[in-house]
Each structure stands twice: as C-alpha cells, then as structure tokens.
Amino acid sequence: MPPGSVDMNFLFTLGEVQRMVRAYADKQAARYGITRAQWAVLAKVERTEGLKQSELAELMEMKPITLTRLIDRLCDAGWIERRSDASDRRVNRLYLKKAARPLLGKLGGLRSELTAAALEGIHPADAHRLLAQLETIKENVRNAIQNPAGAPPGKEQHYG
C-alpha cells in the first residue's frame, strides 16, 4: 500500500481518537465532580443494577482492586451502594442510590454534548454508517482474538 494508506494510519488514528475522546470526557466530567472512570461505572450499574462487583470488573476489563477503589469513592459520594448477595455473603451486588439519578441525567446531557462535538461537520447518515462500521471492526477484532491466525476456525487456541 502507498504511504499515507489505511494500513499505515488506521491503528494510529484509532488510538489517537480514543485517547483524545477520553481526555475530553475526563475534562468535561470534572465539571460534575466525577471522573470518566467513575461515570463509566455509574452508567454500567444503571444499565444492570444488581451486578456482582466481579462481573462489573470483567465487563469493564478492569482489575478488581482498581474497580473496588472506584466503587469505594462512589459509595462515599452516596451514588452507589453495595448489598450482600442473598445466597453468597462473599459477593457484593451493586445498586444505584437515589442521589445518583439526577447526576446520571446531567451526565446523559454531557454525553450528548461530547458526541455532538466529536461528530461536528459529519452528516447524521454518515455518523450512523461510521458507528455500524466501528461495530463491524470491533466484531472482526473479537473474532481475530478468539481465532488467532493458524488456529482452526471455531477453536480457541489455549496456551500453557
């Protein structure tokens, strides 16, 4: 492929976009006294209340100790509560507290602002196409991880 091609620029550009969006989201979330990571935890708990802390860590691809610290801060702020699991006392399930709902409403507005800023100048139909293409890319990468080159299709490669 010639210089300036997709092969040379795709991964770098994708990484830069992700880094810049994260930095922008962190800066804007600070207006509400919250970090982007805390916002992500609140959003996941809102979507799936009663989620186990261990399940959330896996879902967010986060080390359990890192998530525990985030949840501690969210509990201290009065936005999340841990409840013991009825069948296993070692398990904590996560629930939003009433005080988190107004904050999540404001953060929903902020999400819309961030999205509008990122997509400024892009026609809505093109934005929908871009999102669909990104979902395809995500699925392609997921499949590549599950079926490494040289591995028979449908078989995960195990090491060790």
Side-chain angles (χ1 to χ4, degrees):
M1 294 183 135
S5 69
V6 171
D7 182 53
M8 290 189 64
N9 293 301
F10 173 71
L11 294 175
F12 177 76
T13 301
L14 193 60
E16 278 293 293
V17 168
Q18 180 188 28
R19 184 190 63 75
M20 292 177 77
V21 167
R22 284 180 171 203
Y24 183 47
D26 261 329
K27 181 179 179 182
Q28 297 304 313
R31 295 179 357 207
Y32 298 100
I34 194 167
T35 67
R36 180 187 41 80
Q38 290 170 329
W39 179 5
V41 170
L42 284 172
K44 295 279 187 198
V45 171
E46 180 184 34
R47 286 186 201 121
T48 317
E49 284 199 73
L51 197 62
K52 292 180 189 176
Q53 216 170 292
S54 59
E55 292 169 336
L56 183 59
E58 187 176 320
L59 187 65
M60 296 187 73
E61 297 179 356
M62 194 177 278
K63 291 182 181 179
I65 188 67
T66 304
L67 179 62
T68 297
R69 289 182 185 130
L70 280 170
I71 292 170
D72 287 345
R73 288 188 197 105
L74 292 169
C75 287
D76 290 346
W79 293 325
I80 282 186
E81 67 178 321
R82 292 179 175 104
R83 295 183 197 161
S84 295
D85 184 275
S87 61
D88 187 347
R89 293 183 333 177
R90 298 168 296 174
V91 172
N92 283 316
R93 293 194 176 268
L94 302 170
Y95 295 86
L96 286 180
K97 293 187 86 172
K98 192 175 181 179
R101 304 247 179 235
L103 174 63
L104 281 162
K106 292 175 186 174
L107 292 171
L110 179 58
R111 182 193 63 242
S112 295
E113 286 177 36
L114 297 173
T115 300
L119 295 177
E120 187 174 339
I122 296 175
H123 190 278
D126 292 333
H128 285 284
R129 251 188 312 282
L130 173 62
L131 184 57
Q133 290 167 337
L134 287 170
E135 289 293 336
T136 299
I137 291 167
K138 184 171 74 173
E139 190 60 30
N140 290 345
V141 173
R142 180 180 288 121
N143 289 336
I145 289 168
Q146 291 174 348
N147 302 304
K155 300 234 178 184
E156 283 190 41
Q157 200 166 20
H158 297 280
Y159 300 96

Short mmCIF file of all heavy atoms in Angstrom, two decimals, residues 15-77:
data_model
loop_
_atom_site.label_atom_id
_atom_site.label_comp_id
_atom_site.label_asym_id
_atom_site.label_seq_id
_atom_site.Cartn_x
_atom_site.Cartn_y
_atom_site.Cartn_z
N GLY A 15 -6.28 4.86 17.75
CA GLY A 15 -5.75 5.05 19.11
C GLY A 15 -5.75 6.50 19.54
O GLY A 15 -6.08 6.82 20.69
N GLU A 16 -5.39 7.39 18.63
CA GLU A 16 -5.38 8.82 18.94
C GLU A 16 -6.78 9.34 19.22
O GLU A 16 -6.99 10.14 20.13
CB GLU A 16 -4.76 9.62 17.78
CG GLU A 16 -3.25 9.64 17.81
CD GLU A 16 -2.73 10.42 19.00
OE1 GLU A 16 -2.90 11.65 19.08
OE2 GLU A 16 -2.13 9.76 19.88
N VAL A 17 -7.75 8.90 18.41
CA VAL A 17 -9.13 9.32 18.63
C VAL A 17 -9.58 8.86 20.02
O VAL A 17 -10.16 9.64 20.79
CB VAL A 17 -10.07 8.76 17.53
CG1 VAL A 17 -11.53 8.93 17.92
CG2 VAL A 17 -9.79 9.44 16.20
N GLN A 18 -9.30 7.61 20.36
CA GLN A 18 -9.69 7.10 21.67
C GLN A 18 -9.04 7.90 22.79
O GLN A 18 -9.71 8.29 23.75
CB GLN A 18 -9.32 5.63 21.80
CG GLN A 18 -9.70 5.06 23.14
CD GLN A 18 -9.17 3.66 23.37
OE1 GLN A 18 -8.15 3.27 22.83
NE2 GLN A 18 -9.87 2.91 24.18
N ARG A 19 -7.75 8.17 22.67
CA ARG A 19 -7.04 8.93 23.70
C ARG A 19 -7.63 10.33 23.86
O ARG A 19 -7.88 10.80 24.97
CB ARG A 19 -5.55 9.01 23.36
CG ARG A 19 -4.71 9.70 24.44
CD ARG A 19 -3.29 9.97 23.98
NE ARG A 19 -3.22 10.88 22.86
CZ ARG A 19 -3.41 12.22 22.94
NH1 ARG A 19 -3.71 12.78 24.10
NH2 ARG A 19 -3.31 12.98 21.88
N MET A 20 -7.89 10.99 22.73
CA MET A 20 -8.41 12.36 22.78
C MET A 20 -9.84 12.40 23.34
O MET A 20 -10.17 13.29 24.13
CB MET A 20 -8.35 12.99 21.40
CG MET A 20 -6.92 13.24 20.94
SD MET A 20 -6.85 13.91 19.28
CE MET A 20 -7.30 15.60 19.63
N VAL A 21 -10.67 11.46 22.96
CA VAL A 21 -12.04 11.41 23.48
C VAL A 21 -12.01 11.17 24.98
O VAL A 21 -12.77 11.79 25.74
CB VAL A 21 -12.89 10.36 22.73
CG1 VAL A 21 -14.19 10.07 23.46
CG2 VAL A 21 -13.16 10.81 21.30
N ARG A 22 -11.14 10.27 25.43
CA ARG A 22 -11.04 10.02 26.87
C ARG A 22 -10.60 11.27 27.63
O ARG A 22 -11.16 11.60 28.68
CB ARG A 22 -10.06 8.88 27.14
CG ARG A 22 -10.63 7.53 26.83
CD ARG A 22 -9.61 6.45 27.12
NE ARG A 22 -10.26 5.16 27.01
CZ ARG A 22 -9.85 4.07 27.58
NH1 ARG A 22 -8.76 4.07 28.31
NH2 ARG A 22 -10.50 2.94 27.44
N ALA A 23 -9.59 11.97 27.10
CA ALA A 23 -9.10 13.19 27.75
C ALA A 23 -10.20 14.25 27.79
O ALA A 23 -10.40 14.92 28.82
CB ALA A 23 -7.87 13.71 27.03
N TYR A 24 -10.92 14.41 26.70
CA TYR A 24 -12.01 15.38 26.63
C TYR A 24 -13.13 15.01 27.61
O TYR A 24 -13.64 15.87 28.34
CB TYR A 24 -12.51 15.46 25.19
CG TYR A 24 -13.59 16.49 24.93
CD1 TYR A 24 -13.49 17.79 25.41
CD2 TYR A 24 -14.72 16.15 24.20
CE1 TYR A 24 -14.47 18.73 25.15
CE2 TYR A 24 -15.72 17.08 23.95
CZ TYR A 24 -15.59 18.37 24.42
OH TYR A 24 -16.57 19.29 24.18
N ALA A 25 -13.49 13.73 27.65
CA ALA A 25 -14.55 13.28 28.56
C ALA A 25 -14.13 13.48 30.01
O ALA A 25 -14.94 13.90 30.85
CB ALA A 25 -14.90 11.81 28.29
N ASP A 26 -12.87 13.20 30.34
CA ASP A 26 -12.37 13.42 31.70
C ASP A 26 -12.49 14.89 32.09
O ASP A 26 -12.96 15.23 33.17
CB ASP A 26 -10.91 12.98 31.83
CG ASP A 26 -10.78 11.61 32.45
OD1 ASP A 26 -11.61 11.22 33.28
OD2 ASP A 26 -9.81 10.91 32.08
N LYS A 27 -12.06 15.76 31.16
CA LYS A 27 -12.09 17.20 31.44
C LYS A 27 -13.52 17.68 31.66
O LYS A 27 -13.80 18.43 32.59
CB LYS A 27 -11.45 17.95 30.26
CG LYS A 27 -11.41 19.44 30.44
CD LYS A 27 -10.75 20.11 29.25
CE LYS A 27 -10.75 21.63 29.45
NZ LYS A 27 -10.16 22.31 28.32
N GLN A 28 -14.44 17.24 30.82
CA GLN A 28 -15.83 17.68 30.93
C GLN A 28 -16.54 17.05 32.13
O GLN A 28 -17.35 17.71 32.79
CB GLN A 28 -16.58 17.38 29.63
CG GLN A 28 -16.04 18.13 28.43
CD GLN A 28 -16.01 19.64 28.65
OE1 GLN A 28 -16.97 20.23 29.12
NE2 GLN A 28 -14.88 20.26 28.35
N ALA A 29 -16.25 15.79 32.44
CA ALA A 29 -16.88 15.13 33.60
C ALA A 29 -16.47 15.82 34.90
O ALA A 29 -17.26 15.84 35.86
CB ALA A 29 -16.50 13.65 33.63
N ALA A 30 -15.29 16.40 34.93
CA ALA A 30 -14.82 17.09 36.12
C ALA A 30 -15.75 18.24 36.51
O ALA A 30 -15.82 18.62 37.68
CB ALA A 30 -13.39 17.60 35.91
N ARG A 31 -16.50 18.78 35.53
CA ARG A 31 -17.48 19.83 35.83
C ARG A 31 -18.51 19.35 36.84
O ARG A 31 -19.11 20.14 37.56
CB ARG A 31 -18.22 20.26 34.55
CG ARG A 31 -17.36 20.90 33.53
CD ARG A 31 -18.05 21.33 32.24
NE ARG A 31 -19.46 21.04 32.06
CZ ARG A 31 -20.03 20.88 30.87
NH1 ARG A 31 -19.32 20.97 29.77
NH2 ARG A 31 -21.32 20.64 30.79
N TYR A 32 -18.73 18.04 36.89
CA TYR A 32 -19.73 17.45 37.80
C TYR A 32 -19.06 16.74 38.98
O TYR A 32 -19.72 15.99 39.70
CB TYR A 32 -20.62 16.48 37.03
CG TYR A 32 -21.40 17.18 35.94
CD1 TYR A 32 -20.99 17.11 34.61
CD2 TYR A 32 -22.52 17.94 36.25
CE1 TYR A 32 -21.69 17.78 33.61
CE2 TYR A 32 -23.23 18.61 35.26
CZ TYR A 32 -22.80 18.52 33.95
OH TYR A 32 -23.49 19.19 32.97
N GLY A 33 -17.76 16.97 39.15
CA GLY A 33 -17.06 16.39 40.28
C GLY A 33 -16.87 14.89 40.17
O GLY A 33 -16.84 14.19 41.18
N ILE A 34 -16.74 14.40 38.95
CA ILE A 34 -16.63 12.97 38.72
C ILE A 34 -15.58 12.72 37.64
O ILE A 34 -15.31 13.59 36.81
CB ILE A 34 -18.02 12.40 38.32
CG1 ILE A 34 -18.04 10.89 38.41
CG2 ILE A 34 -18.48 12.91 36.98
CD1 ILE A 34 -19.44 10.32 38.34
N THR A 35 -14.98 11.54 37.67
CA THR A 35 -14.04 11.17 36.61
C THR A 35 -14.77 10.35 35.54
O THR A 35 -15.86 9.82 35.78
CB THR A 35 -12.87 10.32 37.16
OG1 THR A 35 -13.39 9.06 37.59
CG2 THR A 35 -12.15 11.03 38.29
N ARG A 36 -14.15 10.23 34.38
CA ARG A 36 -14.72 9.42 33.31
C ARG A 36 -14.88 7.97 33.76
O ARG A 36 -15.88 7.33 33.48
CB ARG A 36 -13.83 9.50 32.06
CG ARG A 36 -14.32 8.69 30.89
CD ARG A 36 -13.31 8.68 29.75
NE ARG A 36 -11.94 8.53 30.17
CZ ARG A 36 -11.37 7.38 30.51
NH1 ARG A 36 -12.05 6.27 30.47
NH2 ARG A 36 -10.12 7.34 30.89
N ALA A 37 -13.91 7.46 34.51
CA ALA A 37 -13.98 6.07 35.00
C ALA A 37 -15.15 5.90 35.97
O ALA A 37 -15.87 4.90 35.91
CB ALA A 37 -12.66 5.68 35.66
N GLN A 38 -15.35 6.86 36.85
CA GLN A 38 -16.49 6.79 37.78
C GLN A 38 -17.80 6.88 37.01
O GLN A 38 -18.75 6.15 37.31
CB GLN A 38 -16.41 7.92 38.81
CG GLN A 38 -15.28 7.75 39.79
CD GLN A 38 -15.06 8.99 40.64
OE1 GLN A 38 -15.29 10.12 40.20
NE2 GLN A 38 -14.62 8.78 41.87
N TRP A 39 -17.84 7.72 36.00
CA TRP A 39 -19.01 7.86 35.15
C TRP A 39 -19.33 6.53 34.47
O TRP A 39 -20.47 6.09 34.44
CB TRP A 39 -18.74 8.96 34.14
CG TRP A 39 -19.81 9.28 33.14
CD1 TRP A 39 -21.08 8.76 33.08
CD2 TRP A 39 -19.70 10.19 32.07
NE1 TRP A 39 -21.76 9.32 32.01
CE2 TRP A 39 -20.93 10.20 31.37
CE3 TRP A 39 -18.68 11.03 31.62
CZ2 TRP A 39 -21.16 10.99 30.26
CZ3 TRP A 39 -18.91 11.82 30.51
CH2 TRP A 39 -20.14 11.80 29.83
N ALA A 40 -18.29 5.87 33.97
CA ALA A 40 -18.48 4.57 33.30
C ALA A 40 -19.07 3.54 34.27
O ALA A 40 -19.97 2.77 33.91
CB ALA A 40 -17.17 4.08 32.72
N VAL A 41 -18.58 3.52 35.50
CA VAL A 41 -19.11 2.59 36.50
C VAL A 41 -20.58 2.89 36.78
O VAL A 41 -21.42 1.99 36.79
CB VAL A 41 -18.28 2.63 37.80
CG1 VAL A 41 -18.96 1.86 38.92
CG2 VAL A 41 -16.87 2.08 37.56
N LEU A 42 -20.89 4.17 36.99
CA LEU A 42 -22.29 4.55 37.25
C LEU A 42 -23.20 4.13 36.08
O LEU A 42 -24.29 3.60 36.31
CB LEU A 42 -22.41 6.06 37.47
CG LEU A 42 -21.96 6.60 38.81
CD1 LEU A 42 -21.97 8.12 38.80
CD2 LEU A 42 -22.83 6.07 39.93
N ALA A 43 -22.73 4.36 34.87
CA ALA A 43 -23.54 4.02 33.69
C ALA A 43 -23.77 2.52 33.59
O ALA A 43 -24.89 2.07 33.30
CB ALA A 43 -22.88 4.55 32.42
N LYS A 44 -22.74 1.72 33.86
CA LYS A 44 -22.89 0.26 33.79
C LYS A 44 -23.83 -0.23 34.89
O LYS A 44 -24.66 -1.11 34.65
CB LYS A 44 -21.53 -0.44 33.94
CG LYS A 44 -20.56 -0.17 32.83
CD LYS A 44 -20.82 -1.02 31.63
CE LYS A 44 -19.68 -0.81 30.63
NZ LYS A 44 -20.01 -1.25 29.31
N VAL A 45 -23.71 0.31 36.08
CA VAL A 45 -24.58 -0.11 37.18
C VAL A 45 -26.01 0.31 36.88
O VAL A 45 -26.95 -0.45 37.14
CB VAL A 45 -24.10 0.45 38.54
CG1 VAL A 45 -25.12 0.20 39.64
CG2 VAL A 45 -22.75 -0.18 38.91
N GLU A 46 -26.20 1.49 36.29
CA GLU A 46 -27.55 1.94 35.93
C GLU A 46 -28.19 0.96 34.95
O GLU A 46 -29.36 0.61 35.09
CB GLU A 46 -27.50 3.33 35.29
CG GLU A 46 -28.87 3.85 34.89
CD GLU A 46 -28.82 5.18 34.18
OE1 GLU A 46 -27.85 5.44 33.43
OE2 GLU A 46 -29.77 5.97 34.37
N ARG A 47 -27.41 0.48 33.98
CA ARG A 47 -27.95 -0.44 32.97
C ARG A 47 -28.23 -1.83 33.55
O ARG A 47 -29.10 -2.53 33.05
CB ARG A 47 -26.96 -0.57 31.81
CG ARG A 47 -26.94 0.63 30.93
CD ARG A 47 -26.07 0.41 29.71
NE ARG A 47 -25.70 1.71 29.18
CZ ARG A 47 -24.46 2.14 29.05
NH1 ARG A 47 -23.45 1.36 29.36
NH2 ARG A 47 -24.22 3.33 28.58
N THR A 48 -27.44 -2.24 34.55
CA THR A 48 -27.56 -3.59 35.09
C THR A 48 -27.45 -3.57 36.60
O THR A 48 -26.46 -4.03 37.17
CB THR A 48 -26.44 -4.50 34.49
OG1 THR A 48 -26.30 -4.24 33.11
CG2 THR A 48 -26.76 -5.96 34.70
N GLU A 49 -28.46 -3.02 37.26
CA GLU A 49 -28.41 -2.98 38.73
C GLU A 49 -28.42 -4.39 39.28
O GLU A 49 -29.04 -5.29 38.70
CB GLU A 49 -29.59 -2.18 39.28
CG GLU A 49 -29.38 -0.69 39.10
CD GLU A 49 -30.24 0.13 40.01
OE1 GLU A 49 -29.96 0.18 41.23
OE2 GLU A 49 -31.20 0.74 39.50
N GLY A 50 -27.70 -4.58 40.37
CA GLY A 50 -27.61 -5.90 40.99
C GLY A 50 -26.44 -6.71 40.46
O GLY A 50 -26.25 -7.87 40.84
N LEU A 51 -25.66 -6.10 39.60
CA LEU A 51 -24.48 -6.76 39.03
C LEU A 51 -23.48 -7.05 40.14
O LEU A 51 -23.30 -6.24 41.05
CB LEU A 51 -23.86 -5.81 37.99
CG LEU A 51 -22.89 -6.33 36.97
CD1 LEU A 51 -23.55 -7.36 36.07
CD2 LEU A 51 -22.36 -5.19 36.13
N LYS A 52 -22.83 -8.21 40.06
CA LYS A 52 -21.77 -8.52 41.01
C LYS A 52 -20.57 -7.63 40.70
O LYS A 52 -20.29 -7.33 39.55
CB LYS A 52 -21.32 -9.97 40.87
CG LYS A 52 -22.32 -11.00 41.29
CD LYS A 52 -21.73 -12.38 41.09
CE LYS A 52 -22.74 -13.48 41.27
NZ LYS A 52 -22.15 -14.79 40.97
N GLN A 53 -19.84 -7.27 41.75
CA GLN A 53 -18.65 -6.46 41.58
C GLN A 53 -17.66 -7.17 40.65
O GLN A 53 -17.06 -6.55 39.78
CB GLN A 53 -18.01 -6.20 42.96
CG GLN A 53 -17.41 -4.85 43.07
CD GLN A 53 -17.01 -4.51 44.48
OE1 GLN A 53 -17.86 -4.35 45.35
NE2 GLN A 53 -15.72 -4.38 44.71
N SER A 54 -17.51 -8.48 40.79
CA SER A 54 -16.58 -9.24 39.96
C SER A 54 -17.03 -9.24 38.49
O SER A 54 -16.20 -9.16 37.58
CB SER A 54 -16.45 -10.68 40.46
OG SER A 54 -17.72 -11.32 40.46
N GLU A 55 -18.34 -9.30 38.26
CA GLU A 55 -18.86 -9.25 36.89
C GLU A 55 -18.60 -7.88 36.26
O GLU A 55 -18.25 -7.79 35.08
CB GLU A 55 -20.37 -9.52 36.87
CG GLU A 55 -20.75 -10.92 37.26
CD GLU A 55 -22.25 -11.10 37.50
OE1 GLU A 55 -22.95 -10.11 37.83
OE2 GLU A 55 -22.71 -12.25 37.37
N LEU A 56 -18.76 -6.84 37.04
CA LEU A 56 -18.50 -5.49 36.54
C LEU A 56 -17.04 -5.31 36.18
O LEU A 56 -16.71 -4.72 35.15
CB LEU A 56 -18.95 -4.45 37.56
CG LEU A 56 -18.80 -2.99 37.14
CD1 LEU A 56 -19.60 -2.70 35.85
CD2 LEU A 56 -19.25 -2.06 38.26
N ALA A 57 -16.14 -5.83 37.01
CA ALA A 57 -14.71 -5.75 36.72
C ALA A 57 -14.39 -6.41 35.39
O ALA A 57 -13.66 -5.87 34.56
CB ALA A 57 -13.89 -6.38 37.85
N GLU A 58 -14.96 -7.58 35.17
CA GLU A 58 -14.74 -8.30 33.92
C GLU A 58 -15.34 -7.53 32.74
O GLU A 58 -14.70 -7.37 31.71
CB GLU A 58 -15.35 -9.69 34.01
CG GLU A 58 -15.03 -10.57 32.82
CD GLU A 58 -15.58 -11.98 33.00
OE1 GLU A 58 -15.51 -12.52 34.12
OE2 GLU A 58 -16.08 -12.52 32.00
N LEU A 59 -16.54 -7.05 32.91
CA LEU A 59 -17.23 -6.30 31.87
C LEU A 59 -16.44 -5.05 31.47
O LEU A 59 -16.37 -4.70 30.29
CB LEU A 59 -18.62 -5.91 32.37
CG LEU A 59 -19.59 -5.27 31.41
CD1 LEU A 59 -19.97 -6.24 30.30
CD2 LEU A 59 -20.85 -4.84 32.17
N MET A 60 -15.84 -4.40 32.44
CA MET A 60 -15.11 -3.16 32.19
C MET A 60 -13.63 -3.42 31.88
O MET A 60 -12.88 -2.47 31.70
CB MET A 60 -15.25 -2.21 33.37
CG MET A 60 -16.69 -1.76 33.55
SD MET A 60 -16.87 -0.49 34.81
CE MET A 60 -16.18 0.92 33.94
N GLU A 61 -13.24 -4.69 31.88
CA GLU A 61 -11.84 -5.07 31.64
C GLU A 61 -10.92 -4.29 32.58
O GLU A 61 -9.97 -3.65 32.18
CB GLU A 61 -11.47 -4.84 30.18
CG GLU A 61 -12.26 -5.70 29.22
CD GLU A 61 -11.92 -5.47 27.77
OE1 GLU A 61 -11.10 -4.59 27.45
OE2 GLU A 61 -12.47 -6.21 26.94
N MET A 62 -11.26 -4.39 33.86
CA MET A 62 -10.56 -3.65 34.90
C MET A 62 -10.12 -4.62 35.98
O MET A 62 -10.83 -5.59 36.26
CB MET A 62 -11.56 -2.62 35.46
CG MET A 62 -10.98 -1.55 36.28
SD MET A 62 -12.28 -0.38 36.80
CE MET A 62 -12.40 0.64 35.36
N LYS A 63 -9.00 -4.36 36.59
CA LYS A 63 -8.55 -5.19 37.71
C LYS A 63 -9.51 -4.97 38.88
O LYS A 63 -9.93 -3.84 39.14
CB LYS A 63 -7.14 -4.82 38.12
CG LYS A 63 -6.12 -5.22 37.08
CD LYS A 63 -4.71 -4.89 37.54
CE LYS A 63 -3.73 -5.30 36.46
NZ LYS A 63 -2.37 -5.00 36.82
N PRO A 64 -9.86 -6.07 39.58
CA PRO A 64 -10.82 -5.93 40.70
C PRO A 64 -10.42 -4.88 41.73
O PRO A 64 -11.28 -4.15 42.21
CB PRO A 64 -10.85 -7.33 41.31
CG PRO A 64 -10.52 -8.24 40.16
CD PRO A 64 -9.51 -7.47 39.33
N ILE A 65 -9.13 -4.76 42.05
CA ILE A 65 -8.70 -3.78 43.07
C ILE A 65 -8.92 -2.36 42.58
O ILE A 65 -9.33 -1.48 43.33
CB ILE A 65 -7.23 -4.01 43.52
CG1 ILE A 65 -6.88 -3.11 44.71
CG2 ILE A 65 -6.26 -3.78 42.38
CD1 ILE A 65 -7.62 -3.45 45.96
N THR A 66 -8.71 -2.13 41.28
CA THR A 66 -8.94 -0.80 40.70
C THR A 66 -10.42 -0.45 40.77
O THR A 66 -10.80 0.65 41.17
CB THR A 66 -8.45 -0.75 39.24
OG1 THR A 66 -7.07 -1.13 39.21
CG2 THR A 66 -8.62 0.63 38.64
N LEU A 67 -11.27 -1.40 40.41
CA LEU A 67 -12.71 -1.18 40.46
C LEU A 67 -13.17 -0.98 41.90
O LEU A 67 -14.01 -0.11 42.16
CB LEU A 67 -13.46 -2.35 39.82
CG LEU A 67 -14.98 -2.20 39.85
CD1 LEU A 67 -15.45 -0.98 39.05
CD2 LEU A 67 -15.64 -3.46 39.33
N THR A 68 -12.62 -1.74 42.82
CA THR A 68 -13.00 -1.61 44.23
C THR A 68 -12.76 -0.18 44.71
O THR A 68 -13.61 0.40 45.39
CB THR A 68 -12.23 -2.61 45.11
OG1 THR A 68 -12.60 -3.93 44.69
CG2 THR A 68 -12.52 -2.44 46.58
N ARG A 69 -11.63 0.40 44.33
CA ARG A 69 -11.33 1.79 44.73
C ARG A 69 -12.33 2.77 44.13
O ARG A 69 -12.78 3.70 44.80
CB ARG A 69 -9.90 2.15 44.33
CG ARG A 69 -8.86 1.44 45.16
CD ARG A 69 -7.46 1.86 44.78
NE ARG A 69 -6.49 1.07 45.49
CZ ARG A 69 -5.46 0.45 44.94
NH1 ARG A 69 -5.27 0.52 43.64
NH2 ARG A 69 -4.63 -0.26 45.67
N LEU A 70 -12.67 2.56 42.86
CA LEU A 70 -13.67 3.42 42.22
C LEU A 70 -15.02 3.31 42.92
O LEU A 70 -15.67 4.32 43.21
CB LEU A 70 -13.84 3.03 40.75
CG LEU A 70 -12.81 3.53 39.76
CD1 LEU A 70 -13.00 2.86 38.40
CD2 LEU A 70 -12.91 5.03 39.62
N ILE A 71 -15.42 2.09 43.22
CA ILE A 71 -16.70 1.87 43.89
C ILE A 71 -16.68 2.45 45.30
O ILE A 71 -17.67 3.04 45.74
CB ILE A 71 -17.07 0.37 43.88
CG1 ILE A 71 -17.37 -0.07 42.44
CG2 ILE A 71 -18.27 0.09 44.79
CD1 ILE A 71 -17.51 -1.56 42.27
N ASP A 72 -15.55 2.33 45.99
CA ASP A 72 -15.43 2.94 47.32
C ASP A 72 -15.73 4.44 47.25
O ASP A 72 -16.48 4.98 48.07
CB ASP A 72 -14.03 2.74 47.90
CG ASP A 72 -13.76 1.32 48.36
OD1 ASP A 72 -14.72 0.53 48.50
OD2 ASP A 72 -12.56 1.00 48.57
N ARG A 73 -15.15 5.11 46.24
CA ARG A 73 -15.36 6.56 46.09
C ARG A 73 -16.83 6.86 45.77
O ARG A 73 -17.39 7.83 46.27
CB ARG A 73 -14.45 7.12 45.01
CG ARG A 73 -13.00 7.18 45.45
CD ARG A 73 -12.13 7.92 44.44
NE ARG A 73 -10.74 7.60 44.69
CZ ARG A 73 -10.01 6.79 43.94
NH1 ARG A 73 -10.51 6.23 42.86
NH2 ARG A 73 -8.75 6.53 44.25
N LEU A 74 -17.42 6.04 44.91
CA LEU A 74 -18.82 6.25 44.54
C LEU A 74 -19.75 5.98 45.72
O LEU A 74 -20.77 6.67 45.87
CB LEU A 74 -19.18 5.36 43.34
CG LEU A 74 -18.49 5.75 42.03
CD1 LEU A 74 -18.69 4.67 40.97
CD2 LEU A 74 -18.96 7.10 41.53
N CYS A 75 -19.41 5.02 46.56
CA CYS A 75 -20.18 4.76 47.78
C CYS A 75 -20.05 5.94 48.74
O CYS A 75 -21.04 6.39 49.32
CB CYS A 75 -19.72 3.47 48.45
SG CYS A 75 -20.23 1.96 47.60
N ASP A 76 -18.81 6.43 48.91
CA ASP A 76 -18.56 7.56 49.81
C ASP A 76 -19.33 8.81 49.36
O ASP A 76 -19.78 9.61 50.18
CB ASP A 76 -17.07 7.89 49.89
CG ASP A 76 -16.26 6.82 50.63
OD1 ASP A 76 -16.87 5.96 51.31
OD2 ASP A 76 -15.02 6.82 50.50
N ALA A 77 -19.49 8.96 48.04
CA ALA A 77 -20.22 10.10 47.49
C ALA A 77 -21.74 9.92 47.59
O ALA A 77 -22.50 10.86 47.34
CB ALA A 77 -19.83 10.33 46.03
#
